[in-house]
Short mmCIF file of all heavy atoms in Angstrom, two decimals:
data_model
loop_
_atom_site.label_atom_id
_atom_site.label_comp_id
_atom_site.label_asym_id
_atom_site.label_seq_id
_atom_site.Cartn_x
_atom_site.Cartn_y
_atom_site.Cartn_z
N THR R 1 0.80 -1.23 0.01
CA THR R 1 -0.01 0.02 0.00
C THR R 1 0.84 1.28 0.00
O THR R 1 0.28 2.36 0.02
CB THR R 1 -0.93 0.04 1.23
OG1 THR R 1 -0.15 -0.05 2.42
CG2 THR R 1 -1.93 -1.14 1.20
N ASP R 2 2.15 1.13 -0.05
CA ASP R 2 3.04 2.32 -0.05
C ASP R 2 4.28 1.95 -0.82
O ASP R 2 4.92 0.90 -0.60
CB ASP R 2 3.38 2.66 1.42
CG ASP R 2 4.16 4.00 1.52
OD1 ASP R 2 5.02 4.25 0.66
OD2 ASP R 2 3.92 4.72 2.48
N PRO R 3 4.71 2.82 -1.78
CA PRO R 3 5.90 2.51 -2.59
C PRO R 3 7.14 2.30 -1.77
O PRO R 3 8.10 1.64 -2.18
CB PRO R 3 6.02 3.73 -3.52
CG PRO R 3 4.67 4.32 -3.56
CD PRO R 3 4.06 4.06 -2.21
N ASP R 4 7.20 2.91 -0.56
CA ASP R 4 8.38 2.83 0.29
C ASP R 4 8.39 1.54 1.14
O ASP R 4 9.37 1.29 1.85
CB ASP R 4 8.48 4.04 1.20
CG ASP R 4 8.71 5.32 0.38
OD1 ASP R 4 9.35 5.27 -0.66
OD2 ASP R 4 8.24 6.39 0.85
N GLN R 5 7.34 0.78 1.09
CA GLN R 5 7.27 -0.44 1.92
C GLN R 5 8.21 -1.49 1.32
O GLN R 5 8.26 -1.67 0.09
CB GLN R 5 5.84 -1.00 1.96
CG GLN R 5 4.89 -0.18 2.83
CD GLN R 5 3.48 -0.77 2.78
OE1 GLN R 5 3.10 -1.43 1.80
NE2 GLN R 5 2.70 -0.52 3.80
N ALA R 6 8.88 -2.23 2.16
CA ALA R 6 9.68 -3.35 1.73
C ALA R 6 8.77 -4.43 1.20
O ALA R 6 7.66 -4.63 1.73
CB ALA R 6 10.52 -3.86 2.89
N GLY R 7 9.25 -5.15 0.19
CA GLY R 7 8.44 -6.22 -0.37
C GLY R 7 8.26 -7.40 0.60
O GLY R 7 7.20 -8.00 0.68
N VAL R 8 9.32 -7.68 1.38
CA VAL R 8 9.26 -8.76 2.34
C VAL R 8 9.81 -8.22 3.66
O VAL R 8 10.88 -7.60 3.71
CB VAL R 8 10.09 -10.00 1.92
CG1 VAL R 8 10.04 -11.06 2.98
CG2 VAL R 8 9.56 -10.53 0.58
N VAL R 9 9.07 -8.43 4.73
CA VAL R 9 9.49 -8.05 6.05
C VAL R 9 9.67 -9.32 6.88
O VAL R 9 8.72 -10.05 7.10
CB VAL R 9 8.48 -7.11 6.75
CG1 VAL R 9 8.93 -6.78 8.16
CG2 VAL R 9 8.28 -5.86 5.95
N GLU R 10 10.89 -9.56 7.35
CA GLU R 10 11.16 -10.67 8.24
C GLU R 10 10.85 -10.20 9.68
O GLU R 10 11.69 -9.59 10.32
CB GLU R 10 12.57 -11.18 8.14
CG GLU R 10 12.92 -11.76 6.80
CD GLU R 10 12.25 -13.16 6.57
OE1 GLU R 10 11.81 -13.76 7.56
OE2 GLU R 10 12.20 -13.57 5.40
N VAL R 11 9.62 -10.43 10.14
CA VAL R 11 9.20 -9.92 11.44
C VAL R 11 10.03 -10.55 12.54
O VAL R 11 10.49 -9.91 13.45
CB VAL R 11 7.71 -10.21 11.65
CG1 VAL R 11 7.23 -9.63 12.97
CG2 VAL R 11 6.88 -9.62 10.48
N GLU R 12 10.20 -11.85 12.45
CA GLU R 12 11.10 -12.59 13.32
C GLU R 12 11.39 -13.89 12.59
O GLU R 12 10.80 -14.20 11.61
CB GLU R 12 10.50 -12.85 14.69
CG GLU R 12 9.22 -13.65 14.70
CD GLU R 12 8.69 -13.89 16.13
OE1 GLU R 12 8.08 -12.95 16.69
OE2 GLU R 12 8.93 -15.00 16.63
N ALA R 13 12.37 -14.67 13.10
CA ALA R 13 12.74 -15.88 12.48
C ALA R 13 11.53 -16.79 12.34
O ALA R 13 10.90 -17.14 13.33
CB ALA R 13 13.85 -16.58 13.26
N GLY R 14 11.19 -17.16 11.08
CA GLY R 14 10.08 -18.02 10.86
C GLY R 14 8.75 -17.31 10.63
O GLY R 14 7.74 -18.00 10.37
N TYR R 15 8.73 -15.98 10.64
CA TYR R 15 7.51 -15.21 10.41
C TYR R 15 7.83 -14.04 9.51
O TYR R 15 8.59 -13.17 9.90
CB TYR R 15 6.93 -14.80 11.76
CG TYR R 15 5.84 -13.70 11.68
CD1 TYR R 15 4.97 -13.56 10.63
CD2 TYR R 15 5.68 -12.84 12.78
CE1 TYR R 15 4.00 -12.57 10.60
CE2 TYR R 15 4.70 -11.88 12.81
CZ TYR R 15 3.86 -11.71 11.70
OH TYR R 15 2.86 -10.75 11.70
N ARG R 16 7.25 -14.06 8.33
CA ARG R 16 7.49 -12.96 7.37
C ARG R 16 6.17 -12.49 6.79
O ARG R 16 5.20 -13.25 6.68
CB ARG R 16 8.43 -13.45 6.25
CG ARG R 16 7.83 -14.45 5.30
CD ARG R 16 8.89 -15.27 4.54
NE ARG R 16 9.77 -15.90 5.49
CZ ARG R 16 9.49 -17.05 6.13
NH1 ARG R 16 8.29 -17.67 5.94
NH2 ARG R 16 10.33 -17.55 6.97
N VAL R 17 6.18 -11.21 6.39
CA VAL R 17 5.05 -10.60 5.73
C VAL R 17 5.48 -10.25 4.31
O VAL R 17 6.47 -9.51 4.12
CB VAL R 17 4.53 -9.34 6.45
CG1 VAL R 17 3.44 -8.68 5.66
CG2 VAL R 17 4.02 -9.75 7.85
N VAL R 18 4.79 -10.80 3.33
CA VAL R 18 5.10 -10.55 1.91
C VAL R 18 4.11 -9.56 1.36
O VAL R 18 2.86 -9.86 1.35
CB VAL R 18 5.07 -11.84 1.11
CG1 VAL R 18 5.33 -11.56 -0.36
CG2 VAL R 18 6.11 -12.85 1.66
N ARG R 19 4.55 -8.39 0.92
CA ARG R 19 3.68 -7.37 0.35
C ARG R 19 3.75 -7.42 -1.17
O ARG R 19 4.84 -7.25 -1.73
CB ARG R 19 4.08 -5.98 0.86
CG ARG R 19 4.00 -5.83 2.38
CD ARG R 19 4.48 -4.44 2.74
NE ARG R 19 4.29 -4.10 4.17
CZ ARG R 19 5.30 -3.68 4.94
NH1 ARG R 19 6.53 -3.53 4.43
NH2 ARG R 19 5.08 -3.38 6.20
N LEU R 20 2.63 -7.63 -1.82
CA LEU R 20 2.57 -7.81 -3.27
C LEU R 20 1.77 -6.66 -3.92
O LEU R 20 0.81 -6.16 -3.35
CB LEU R 20 1.95 -9.15 -3.59
CG LEU R 20 2.66 -10.38 -3.02
CD1 LEU R 20 1.81 -11.61 -3.19
CD2 LEU R 20 4.03 -10.53 -3.69
N VAL R 21 2.17 -6.33 -5.13
CA VAL R 21 1.48 -5.26 -5.88
C VAL R 21 0.24 -5.83 -6.53
O VAL R 21 0.26 -6.82 -7.27
CB VAL R 21 2.41 -4.66 -6.93
CG1 VAL R 21 1.62 -3.62 -7.79
CG2 VAL R 21 3.60 -3.98 -6.29
N ALA R 22 -0.90 -5.25 -6.19
CA ALA R 22 -2.17 -5.58 -6.81
C ALA R 22 -3.03 -4.33 -6.85
O ALA R 22 -3.57 -3.90 -5.85
CB ALA R 22 -2.91 -6.68 -6.01
N GLY R 23 -3.08 -3.70 -8.01
CA GLY R 23 -3.74 -2.40 -8.11
C GLY R 23 -2.84 -1.31 -7.69
O GLY R 23 -1.61 -1.47 -7.50
N PRO R 24 -3.38 -0.07 -7.50
CA PRO R 24 -2.56 1.06 -7.08
C PRO R 24 -1.84 0.81 -5.77
O PRO R 24 -2.40 0.22 -4.87
CB PRO R 24 -3.61 2.19 -6.92
CG PRO R 24 -4.79 1.75 -7.70
CD PRO R 24 -4.82 0.26 -7.63
N VAL R 25 -0.60 1.22 -5.71
CA VAL R 25 0.21 1.02 -4.50
C VAL R 25 -0.13 2.16 -3.52
O VAL R 25 0.64 3.11 -3.32
CB VAL R 25 1.68 0.96 -4.82
CG1 VAL R 25 2.49 0.64 -3.53
CG2 VAL R 25 1.97 -0.13 -5.86
N GLN R 26 -1.29 2.04 -2.92
CA GLN R 26 -1.80 3.02 -1.97
C GLN R 26 -2.92 2.36 -1.22
O GLN R 26 -3.51 1.34 -1.63
CB GLN R 26 -2.32 4.26 -2.72
CG GLN R 26 -3.54 3.93 -3.62
CD GLN R 26 -3.94 5.11 -4.47
OE1 GLN R 26 -3.11 5.70 -5.17
NE2 GLN R 26 -5.25 5.45 -4.44
N PRO R 27 -3.31 2.91 -0.08
CA PRO R 27 -4.45 2.36 0.69
C PRO R 27 -5.72 2.52 -0.14
O PRO R 27 -5.98 3.54 -0.76
CB PRO R 27 -4.50 3.23 1.94
CG PRO R 27 -3.13 3.81 2.09
CD PRO R 27 -2.65 4.00 0.69
N LEU R 28 -6.52 1.47 -0.17
CA LEU R 28 -7.81 1.47 -0.82
C LEU R 28 -8.88 1.00 0.12
O LEU R 28 -8.66 0.18 1.03
CB LEU R 28 -7.79 0.57 -2.07
CG LEU R 28 -6.86 0.94 -3.22
CD1 LEU R 28 -6.88 -0.11 -4.30
CD2 LEU R 28 -7.28 2.30 -3.82
N ARG R 29 -10.10 1.51 -0.06
CA ARG R 29 -11.21 0.97 0.70
C ARG R 29 -11.52 -0.43 0.26
O ARG R 29 -11.23 -0.84 -0.86
CB ARG R 29 -12.45 1.87 0.50
CG ARG R 29 -12.25 3.30 0.99
CD ARG R 29 -13.49 4.14 0.83
NE ARG R 29 -13.97 4.22 -0.56
CZ ARG R 29 -15.02 4.94 -0.93
NH1 ARG R 29 -15.72 5.62 -0.06
NH2 ARG R 29 -15.39 4.92 -2.20
N VAL R 30 -12.12 -1.22 1.15
CA VAL R 30 -12.35 -2.63 0.87
C VAL R 30 -13.16 -2.77 -0.44
O VAL R 30 -12.82 -3.61 -1.29
CB VAL R 30 -13.11 -3.27 2.04
CG1 VAL R 30 -13.62 -4.68 1.65
CG2 VAL R 30 -12.22 -3.38 3.26
N GLY R 31 -14.18 -1.96 -0.61
CA GLY R 31 -14.99 -2.09 -1.82
C GLY R 31 -14.20 -1.80 -3.11
O GLY R 31 -14.55 -2.38 -4.16
N ASP R 32 -13.16 -1.01 -3.01
CA ASP R 32 -12.35 -0.66 -4.18
C ASP R 32 -11.30 -1.75 -4.50
O ASP R 32 -10.61 -1.64 -5.53
CB ASP R 32 -11.66 0.69 -3.98
CG ASP R 32 -12.65 1.83 -3.89
OD1 ASP R 32 -13.77 1.72 -4.52
OD2 ASP R 32 -12.36 2.85 -3.26
N LEU R 33 -11.18 -2.72 -3.61
CA LEU R 33 -10.18 -3.79 -3.84
C LEU R 33 -10.71 -4.90 -4.74
O LEU R 33 -9.96 -5.69 -5.27
CB LEU R 33 -9.79 -4.37 -2.49
CG LEU R 33 -8.88 -3.47 -1.60
CD1 LEU R 33 -8.72 -4.10 -0.22
CD2 LEU R 33 -7.51 -3.33 -2.26
N VAL R 34 -12.03 -4.96 -4.87
CA VAL R 34 -12.64 -6.10 -5.60
C VAL R 34 -12.03 -6.30 -6.99
O VAL R 34 -11.70 -7.43 -7.37
CB VAL R 34 -14.15 -5.96 -5.66
CG1 VAL R 34 -14.78 -7.03 -6.52
CG2 VAL R 34 -14.76 -6.03 -4.23
N PRO R 35 -11.84 -5.23 -7.81
CA PRO R 35 -11.29 -5.46 -9.15
C PRO R 35 -9.88 -5.98 -9.16
O PRO R 35 -9.38 -6.44 -10.19
CB PRO R 35 -11.35 -4.05 -9.78
CG PRO R 35 -12.34 -3.27 -8.98
CD PRO R 35 -12.21 -3.80 -7.58
N HIS R 36 -9.20 -5.94 -7.99
CA HIS R 36 -7.76 -6.31 -7.92
C HIS R 36 -7.58 -7.67 -7.28
O HIS R 36 -6.43 -8.09 -7.05
CB HIS R 36 -6.98 -5.25 -7.16
CG HIS R 36 -7.20 -3.88 -7.70
ND1 HIS R 36 -6.85 -3.49 -8.99
CD2 HIS R 36 -7.78 -2.75 -7.13
CE1 HIS R 36 -7.20 -2.21 -9.21
NE2 HIS R 36 -7.76 -1.75 -8.08
N VAL R 37 -8.70 -8.38 -6.94
CA VAL R 37 -8.55 -9.69 -6.30
C VAL R 37 -7.84 -10.68 -7.21
O VAL R 37 -6.94 -11.43 -6.81
CB VAL R 37 -9.96 -10.20 -5.92
CG1 VAL R 37 -9.87 -11.68 -5.53
CG2 VAL R 37 -10.54 -9.38 -4.78
N LYS R 38 -8.18 -10.69 -8.51
CA LYS R 38 -7.57 -11.60 -9.46
C LYS R 38 -6.05 -11.33 -9.57
O LYS R 38 -5.23 -12.25 -9.59
CB LYS R 38 -8.23 -11.52 -10.79
CG LYS R 38 -7.70 -12.50 -11.84
CD LYS R 38 -8.46 -12.42 -13.14
CE LYS R 38 -7.94 -13.41 -14.17
NZ LYS R 38 -8.71 -13.33 -15.45
N GLY R 39 -5.71 -10.03 -9.65
CA GLY R 39 -4.29 -9.68 -9.72
C GLY R 39 -3.52 -10.06 -8.49
O GLY R 39 -2.39 -10.48 -8.55
N PHE R 40 -4.16 -9.91 -7.32
CA PHE R 40 -3.49 -10.30 -6.07
C PHE R 40 -3.27 -11.80 -6.05
O PHE R 40 -2.16 -12.25 -5.67
CB PHE R 40 -4.36 -9.88 -4.89
CG PHE R 40 -3.75 -10.27 -3.55
CD1 PHE R 40 -2.69 -9.58 -3.01
CD2 PHE R 40 -4.28 -11.32 -2.84
CE1 PHE R 40 -2.13 -9.94 -1.79
CE2 PHE R 40 -3.76 -11.70 -1.61
CZ PHE R 40 -2.67 -11.02 -1.09
N ALA R 41 -4.26 -12.58 -6.45
CA ALA R 41 -4.12 -14.07 -6.45
C ALA R 41 -2.98 -14.44 -7.39
O ALA R 41 -2.16 -15.32 -7.07
CB ALA R 41 -5.41 -14.70 -6.88
N GLY R 42 -2.87 -13.78 -8.56
CA GLY R 42 -1.83 -14.04 -9.50
C GLY R 42 -0.43 -13.73 -8.94
O GLY R 42 0.51 -14.47 -9.14
N ALA R 43 -0.38 -12.63 -8.18
CA ALA R 43 0.91 -12.23 -7.59
C ALA R 43 1.31 -13.22 -6.52
O ALA R 43 2.52 -13.55 -6.37
CB ALA R 43 0.77 -10.81 -6.97
N VAL R 44 0.39 -13.72 -5.74
CA VAL R 44 0.71 -14.74 -4.74
C VAL R 44 1.23 -16.01 -5.39
O VAL R 44 2.28 -16.56 -5.01
CB VAL R 44 -0.53 -15.09 -3.89
CG1 VAL R 44 -0.27 -16.32 -2.98
CG2 VAL R 44 -0.93 -13.88 -3.00
N MET R 45 0.55 -16.43 -6.44
CA MET R 45 0.96 -17.65 -7.13
C MET R 45 2.33 -17.50 -7.78
O MET R 45 3.15 -18.42 -7.80
CB MET R 45 -0.09 -18.08 -8.18
CG MET R 45 -1.40 -18.51 -7.59
SD MET R 45 -1.25 -19.77 -6.32
CE MET R 45 -0.32 -21.03 -7.21
N ALA R 46 2.57 -16.29 -8.31
CA ALA R 46 3.92 -16.04 -8.93
C ALA R 46 4.99 -16.06 -7.92
O ALA R 46 6.10 -16.63 -8.19
CB ALA R 46 3.85 -14.70 -9.66
N TRP R 47 4.76 -15.46 -6.75
CA TRP R 47 5.79 -15.44 -5.68
C TRP R 47 6.09 -16.89 -5.25
O TRP R 47 7.28 -17.25 -5.09
CB TRP R 47 5.28 -14.63 -4.51
CG TRP R 47 6.29 -14.30 -3.47
CD1 TRP R 47 7.06 -13.17 -3.42
CD2 TRP R 47 6.72 -15.13 -2.37
NE1 TRP R 47 7.90 -13.20 -2.31
CE2 TRP R 47 7.70 -14.40 -1.67
CE3 TRP R 47 6.33 -16.37 -1.87
CZ2 TRP R 47 8.32 -14.91 -0.52
CZ3 TRP R 47 6.94 -16.90 -0.75
CH2 TRP R 47 7.91 -16.17 -0.06
#
């Protein structure tokens, strides 16, 4: 949701958060995320 965010954050050993691009790289309301669900799923599968 922010261009300055790291793609992967190793929160601690064995726990990581992977941030993927799906739609505009900015905060969006839940209702505005619906068109980007397919893109998000594709990004997860690609990773």
Side-chain angles (χ1 to χ4, degrees):
T1 59
D2 187 321
D4 295 329
Q5 289 177 334
V8 178
V9 178
E10 294 289 343
V11 182
E12 60 179 79
Y15 166 28
R16 69 202 55 79
V17 175
V18 177
R19 300 179 174 124
L20 300 170
V21 175
V25 184
Q26 65 187 51
L28 294 175
R29 298 183 301 183
V30 170
D32 294 333
L33 288 171
V34 174
H36 308 297
V37 168
K38 184 176 180 180
F40 178 75
V44 171
M45 293 308 305
W47 193 94

